[in-house]
């Protein structure tokens, strides 16, 4: 069927206006359209960058507000803690405060303040700890080959130290020079050794004889000797006279160091001696009254240790463990019970007042020149006795000395004084 043309109809068999578009023209038109859209962009319905920025600002404000709130809480807690510290019986714990964003945050606990671990005891006097000398100034020196030390004493004028050790062959007296040199043997194989309180004289028993000598620069000089009574041992000095203890409770005697002298008669009522006063009298114990109870006495060595003054009162031990202070006022010794006693020698009269002074003495007592007595108790602890505190009612206790084996009992080194 053929269609006829209509003047008002644009659909004819052929185009009256040819509209041929080449591929290049189509591509160019597409390019122009896209370029126009880039030059004049339409606003996006949702901007991802703007959203991210707004969220970040909101999060920052929340964190700032959280920090300020926690800071306020911390201020309140600290203020409340300070107020509680000022109240009796308040909570004395230290609060832990964390500032910042708490979400998903687990802070590590702050370190709690604790007391420092106890370290080695620093004593006012030198100590021998096992095979080591530790001075009051903190210096240490090994005592090579010395063996177990029984007693030790610092020499005057920085002259070093004297130490007595026990060996199977007897007592050995060592001199430790002050320059760090090894210990040197002064005596070996003695039955007993005694050193004067000032460190200038030494007495010892060797077999059947008593010996005594001066000590200068680590050398024994001007030695004397005399036959010894059976079983007698030197225990100390009163001036130049050697104090001799008879075995058991046989009493005490004196021996002058002058050439050819013999020990004096024995005073059987003298039970113990503790030291010498400046006037030459000796502080000791005598058996007084009936049945011969131990009493504190002042003894005259020039009259065969006859008592000059005697005071009785407390029950006293007769083990001879004790010493008098450098100012000659105080005597620390053992009571008959399980305690040491402190006695004021200035008040010595017909009666004696004794003050309990802590654990009993099991070895020597050493006094500092400032008036503190030091000794080691049965547990190996160091005991400090201050007379002023004892008079106020204090009961001294032992302090543990770290780094000392149980078998190595510490030894307090006596001060040589002037």
């Amino acid at each position: 069927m053929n269609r006829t043309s209509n003047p008002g109809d644009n659909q004819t068999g052929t185009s009256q206006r040819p509209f041929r578009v080449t591929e290049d023209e189509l591509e160019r038109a597409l390019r122009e359209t896209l370029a126009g859209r880039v030059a004049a962009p339409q606003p996006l319905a949702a901007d991802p960058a703007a959203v991210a920025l707004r969220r970040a600002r909101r999060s920052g404000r929340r964190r700032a507000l959280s920090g300020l709130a926690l800071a306020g809480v911390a201020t309140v807690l600290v203020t409340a803690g300070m107020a509680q510290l000022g109240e009796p019986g308040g909570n004395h714990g230290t609060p832990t405060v964390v500032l910042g964003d708490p979400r998903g945050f687990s802070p590590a606990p702050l370190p709690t303040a604790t007391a420092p671990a106890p370290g080695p005891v620093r004593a006012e006097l030198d100590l021998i700890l096992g095979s080591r000398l530790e001075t009051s100034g903190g210096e240490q020196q090994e005592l090579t080959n010395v063996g177990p030390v029984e007693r030790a004493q610092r020499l005057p004028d920085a002259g070093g130290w004297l130490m007595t050790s026990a060996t199977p062959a007897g007592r050995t007296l060592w001199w430790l020079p002050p320059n760090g040199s090894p210990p040197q043997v002064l005596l070996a194989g003695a039955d007993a050794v005694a050193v004067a309180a000032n460190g200038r004289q030494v007495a010892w028993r060797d077999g059947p004889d008593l010996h005594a000598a001066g000590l200068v620069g680590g050398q024994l000089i001007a030695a004397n000797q005399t036959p010894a009574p059976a079983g007698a041992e030197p225990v100390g000095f009163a001036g130049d006279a050697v104090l001799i203890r008879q075995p058991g409770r046989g009493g005490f005697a004196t021996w002058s160091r002058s050439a050819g002298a013999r020990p004096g008669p024995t005073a059987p009522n003298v039970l113990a001696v503790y030291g010498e006063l400046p006037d030459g009298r000796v502080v000791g114990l005598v058996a007084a009254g009936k049945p011969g109870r131990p009493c504190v006495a002042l003894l005259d060595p020039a009259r065969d240790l006859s008592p000059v003054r005697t005071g009785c009162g407390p029950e006293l031990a007769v083990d001879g463990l004790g010493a008098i202070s450098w100012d000659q006022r105080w005597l620390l010794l053992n009571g008959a019970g399980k305690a040491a006693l402190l006695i004021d020698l200035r008040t010595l009269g017909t009666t004696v007042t004794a003050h309990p002074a802590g654990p009993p003495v099991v070895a020597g007592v050493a006094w500092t020149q400032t008036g503190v007595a030091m000794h080691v108790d049965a547990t190996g602890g160091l005991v400090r006795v201050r007379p002023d505190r004892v008079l106020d009612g204090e009961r001294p206790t032992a302090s543990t000395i770290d780094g000392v084996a149980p078998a190595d009992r510490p030894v307090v080194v006596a001060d040589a004084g002037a």
Side-chain angles (χ1 to χ4, degrees):
M1 177 176 177
N2 294 331
R3 182 178 180 179
T4 58
S5 65
N6 186 350
D9 188 357
N10 190 35
Q11 295 182 5
T12 59
T14 60
S15 173
Q16 297 178 359
R17 292 179 302 172
F19 189 69
R20 298 185 60 186
V21 179
T22 65
E23 184 176 351
D24 291 339
E25 291 174 344
L26 181 60
E27 182 178 347
R28 184 168 54 254
L30 179 59
R31 288 178 181 274
E32 290 176 355
T33 300
L34 292 177
R37 289 191 176 186
V38 171
Q42 298 295 326
L44 295 175
D47 188 352
V51 172
L53 290 175
R54 286 194 296 270
R55 289 180 178 175
R57 292 190 188 102
R58 284 198 300 269
S59 177
R61 284 195 296 269
R62 283 197 303 267
R63 294 192 182 191
L65 291 175
S66 298
L68 290 175
L70 286 174
V73 172
T75 304
V76 172
L77 289 176
V78 173
T79 305
M82 294 177 64
Q84 290 177 358
L85 287 174
E87 295 174 1
N91 182 10
H92 296 274
T94 303
T96 302
V97 180
V98 180
L99 298 181
D101 187 359
R103 293 179 300 172
F105 178 67
S106 298
L110 296 178
T112 304
T114 58
V121 172
R122 177 65 57 82
E124 294 91 333
L125 296 175
D126 302 343
L127 297 175
I128 292 180
L129 308 177
S131 62
R132 182 179 76 255
L133 169 69
E134 183 168 321
T135 70
S136 57
E139 300 174 352
Q140 298 182 1
Q141 182 170 347
E142 289 296 323
L143 305 176
T144 307
N145 299 325
V146 170
V149 176
E150 293 181 325
R151 296 185 305 276
Q153 183 171 325
R154 181 187 280 268
L155 293 174
D157 305 323
W161 296 263
L162 288 179
M163 296 167 290
T164 303
S165 65
T167 65
R171 264 65 181 179
T172 302
L173 180 65
W174 302 81
W175 174 56
L176 180 64
N179 58 4
S181 299
Q184 302 178 18
V185 176
L186 296 181
L187 295 170
D191 298 312
V193 177
V195 180
N198 60 13
R200 302 184 187 277
Q201 299 182 91
V202 177
W204 66 98
R205 175 166 182 152
D206 185 6
D209 296 325
L210 288 174
H211 301 259
L215 180 63
V216 177
Q219 299 291 327
L220 297 176
I221 61 173
N224 304 102
Q225 71 179 68
T226 188
E233 295 181 347
V235 294
F237 285 82
D240 288 335
V242 181
L243 297 173
I244 303 170
R245 178 179 57 203
Q246 300 291 339
R249 291 195 178 184
F252 283 74
T254 60
W255 169 48
S256 175
R257 285 186 53 203
S258 59
R262 294 293 183 94
T266 299
N269 65 324
V270 178
L271 306 175
V273 292
Y274 298 106
E276 183 185 11
L277 299 178
D279 59 7
R281 293 179 296 176
V282 175
V283 179
L285 294 183
V286 297
K290 295 181 180 181
R293 62 183 301 188
C295 298
V296 180
L298 302 183
L299 311 173
D300 186 356
R303 295 191 297 123
D304 301 323
L305 298 176
S306 298
V308 176
R309 186 188 307 169
T310 303
C312 301
E315 295 290 332
L316 302 174
V318 295
D319 52 20
L321 299 175
I324 60 175
S325 60
W326 283 100
D327 60 4
Q328 289 82 41
R329 176 179 176 179
W330 303 102
L331 169 63
L332 182 68
L333 76 170
N334 280 333
K338 297 181 179 180
L341 299 176
L342 185 68
I343 294 175
D344 189 348
L345 296 175
R346 298 190 308 180
T347 63
L348 180 63
T350 57
T351 60
V352 172
T353 301
H355 305 273
V361 180
V362 296
V365 174
W367 284 85
T368 69
Q369 297 192 43
T370 57
V372 178
M374 305 181 67
H375 66 94
V376 176
D377 74 347
T379 67
L382 184 64
V383 182
R384 291 182 175 88
V385 180
R386 290 187 52 175
D388 56 339
R389 295 185 178 179
V390 170
L391 294 181
D392 290 338
E394 179 181 273
R395 298 296 179 263
T397 57
S399 300
T400 302
I401 304 177
D402 291 347
V404 179
D408 296 330
R409 184 179 300 277
V411 176
V412 182
V413 180
D415 195 348

